[in-house]
Amino acid sequence: MLNQVKSLIERIIPRLSSALVILTLAALTNPHYVGIYNVVTLLYTAIQATIDSGARFAVMRVLTEPGGMKIMNRYRMFMPVVAFELLVALMLFLLWNGTLENWGEFFQVLPVAFAPGFGALGLLYVGTLQATSQWGLLARLQFRAALVGLLVGGTTLILTHSLLGPALQLAVTEGVFALLCWRRARKNTLPIPHSAPGEKSILSDMGAMSGYALMAWLQGQAERLFMTFFAGTAVLGIYTAGSAVGRAPGDALAASTANMVRVAVADKETPDEIRDTSNRFLSGALMLAVVGVVVAQVAAIVLGPLLGAKWNAAMAMVPFIAMVSFPGVLSWAASVLLVRTGAAWKTFVGPVIGIVFGAVIAWVASFDLNLAATFLVVREFAVVLVAYLFIGRAAPWRSFWLGLALTVVGMTTCWLVVL
């Protein structure tokens, strides 16, 4: 449990710092402006998910199997350049279609284009520290990087009241974290366990998981893309602010739990061993999710008066959207288990279901954000259910039912309070 908490801290720090900057942007500007920034960061997360997630899922194999380093070195050579060029091209498209209103706004968000490249350059070193269970060190390095990012981005935001602040915060945090991990991994003396080559090649797993990550991104962001069409950037901005508060703890917990499960099941051979190990980590994560939900709700109560009446709807939806923490933990771990059990290609099915739900959620958000958040939670459980059916005997169903029970209790309480 201690390592799980350390891993959570490592993942939650950048999300909390980003949420803080977004909320400051909200306080200094308006929902429409926050919506514009969200469109830019959607593009960033799409590129990051595609180029980073496949390598992140395969990094343990890269470090422990013969030939893995050759693949990683090529990845680090090409991906930063590809990511930068793609993001700049997409930002130019936003300038052309009027989402970015002028060249000034284009250059304000341009630092975001460097962020996925920094992540790609630092991935090997992050993986090295994870493989040797140095979770506490990772948390400290992430904290330092977040502080530098907040100092640079937050100061810029307060002085300029512009998009440059959040953009710099994102890029500086990623860059400093990669640099710090490189320095520490260079000095690593702890042994990394070796394993026999998997049934499928490393490139095959990287390709499959990159495709899955893109689909998962579409699953997770589909409602925001549709929301621009159904409700406009102002509603998108309100939804983004509510999500920044309600989802930050749960998303960080889901990412950290996936990292822990990935390492823990790497040397497990039988479905029973994989299931029991996963249940152990997921049960603890779901209990931590309860704490995260409470923290998000308290934050919404505190932030409401500070942000003002124009953000009341955003803060009111926080208790509802925070419930996605429970299925989110299960969903991220499910993708790891699908890869571990040799069913990486089946990870595509769940996101397809999620994308269909996204259109419904966006339409509902145009008239009721709380109901939209409820549909979001239902969607995530549908995705988890399909994934667990594919995992088969290794699926941690005990954790599934625990997560479902916690969600039903929490969501029922939210609606009773509102009604």
Side-chain angles (χ1 to χ4, degrees):
M1 177 62 80
L2 180 59
N3 277 340
Q4 206 160 352
V5 173
K6 291 178 180 178
S7 178
L8 169 60
I9 294 172
E10 184 261 323
R11 287 290 85 196
I12 201 172
I13 288 171
R15 285 168 171 81
L16 287 180
S17 60
S18 295
L20 179 59
V21 171
I22 289 174
L23 291 171
T24 305
L25 179 67
L28 297 176
T29 58
N30 56 63
H32 178 69
Y33 210 46
V34 175
I36 291 175
Y37 181 69
N38 187 243
V39 172
V40 175
T41 53
L42 280 175
L43 299 177
Y44 156 68
T45 54
I47 299 298
Q48 184 191 43
T50 305
I51 72 167
D52 181 68
S53 295
R56 188 173 295 277
F57 274 100
V59 71
M60 290 303 298
R61 293 188 60 187
V62 165
L63 290 167
T64 60
E65 294 182 17
M69 286 304 302
K70 184 177 181 180
I71 294 172
M72 180 56 70
N73 287 335
R74 289 181 180 176
Y75 169 83
R76 291 189 296 164
M77 182 182 300
F78 291 108
M79 282 308 174
V81 177
V82 172
F84 179 81
E85 291 177 346
L86 281 174
L87 267 174
V88 170
L90 290 169
M91 289 176 184
L92 288 172
F93 174 77
L94 293 179
L95 181 65
W96 173 78
N97 74 2
T99 302
L100 295 174
E101 297 178 349
N102 50 58
W103 281 102
E105 289 186 356
F106 171 84
F107 286 112
Q108 287 173 28
V109 298
L110 185 60
V112 174
F114 293 94
F118 291 145
L121 289 172
L123 178 60
L124 176 65
Y125 312 115
V126 175
T128 300
L129 298 177
Q130 289 177 346
T132 51
S133 296
Q134 298 187 65
W135 302 104
L137 174 60
L138 278 168
R140 292 193 296 274
L141 298 182
Q142 187 69 81
F143 180 70
R144 294 170 191 170
L147 282 180
V148 176
L150 275 175
L151 178 62
V152 175
T155 302
T156 303
L157 176 57
I158 292 171
L159 292 176
T160 65
H161 291 199
S162 71
L163 296 171
L164 182 61
L168 282 174
Q169 182 269 334
L170 183 62
V172 170
T173 299
E174 289 288 342
V176 172
F177 183 57
L179 178 63
L180 292 176
C181 288
W182 167 72
R183 290 184 60 191
R184 296 309 295 259
R186 250 190 346 168
K187 303 173 183 177
N188 180 64
T189 57
L190 297 175
I192 298 175
H194 291 280
S195 61
E199 295 182 5
K200 296 188 177 182
S201 70
I202 295 176
L203 285 176
S204 175
D205 270 359
M206 288 178 68
M209 291 315 300
S210 288
Y212 164 75
L214 181 58
M215 294 296 290
W217 176 86
L218 286 170
Q219 168 198 326
Q221 307 298 340
E223 71 272 14
R224 300 189 190 210
L225 299 174
F226 287 118
M227 208 173 290
T228 305
F229 173 76
F230 283 117
T233 54
V235 172
L236 176 60
I238 293 172
Y239 184 87
T240 299
S243 297
V245 178
R247 296 195 62 166
D251 286 351
L253 178 60
S256 66
T257 303
N259 287 338
M260 295 292 295
V261 171
R262 183 182 302 113
V263 174
V265 302
D267 61 347
K268 302 299 183 290
E269 300 296 335
T270 68
D272 290 345
E273 288 178 330
I274 294 173
R275 182 189 64 244
D276 293 343
T277 301
S278 302
N279 268 322
R280 185 171 70 253
F281 282 99
L282 290 174
S283 296
L286 289 169
M287 292 300 101
L288 289 173
V290 174
V291 179
V293 168
V294 173
V295 169
Q297 294 180 2
V298 171
I301 294 171
V302 173
L303 289 169
L306 297 176
L307 294 177
K310 63 185 176 182
W311 296 102
N312 283 349
M315 295 303 102
M317 69 174 286
V318 167
F320 293 86
I321 203 167
M323 295 302 156
V324 82
S325 301
F326 301 115
V329 165
L330 302 174
S331 180
W332 281 58
S335 61
V336 173
L337 296 177
L338 282 168
V339 173
R340 181 64 188 87
T341 55
W345 67 271
K346 295 178 182 178
T347 56
F348 289 91
V349 179
V352 171
I353 298 172
I355 292 168
V356 175
F357 265 95
V360 177
I361 295 168
W363 172 69
V364 173
S366 65
F367 57 86
D368 192 325
L369 286 170
N370 294 344
L371 187 58
T374 303
F375 272 95
L376 175 68
V377 175
V378 172
R379 179 190 71 181
E380 294 303 310
F381 267 111
V383 172
V384 175
L385 178 62
V386 171
Y388 277 26
L389 290 174
F390 281 136
I391 293 170
R393 284 183 55 201
W397 285 104
R398 188 183 72 196
S399 298
F400 176 87
W401 295 116
L402 175 60
L404 182 60
L406 290 170
T407 305
V408 169
V409 172
M411 192 62 75
T412 301
T413 303
C414 288
W415 278 110
L416 288 175
V417 170
V418 169
L419 299 176

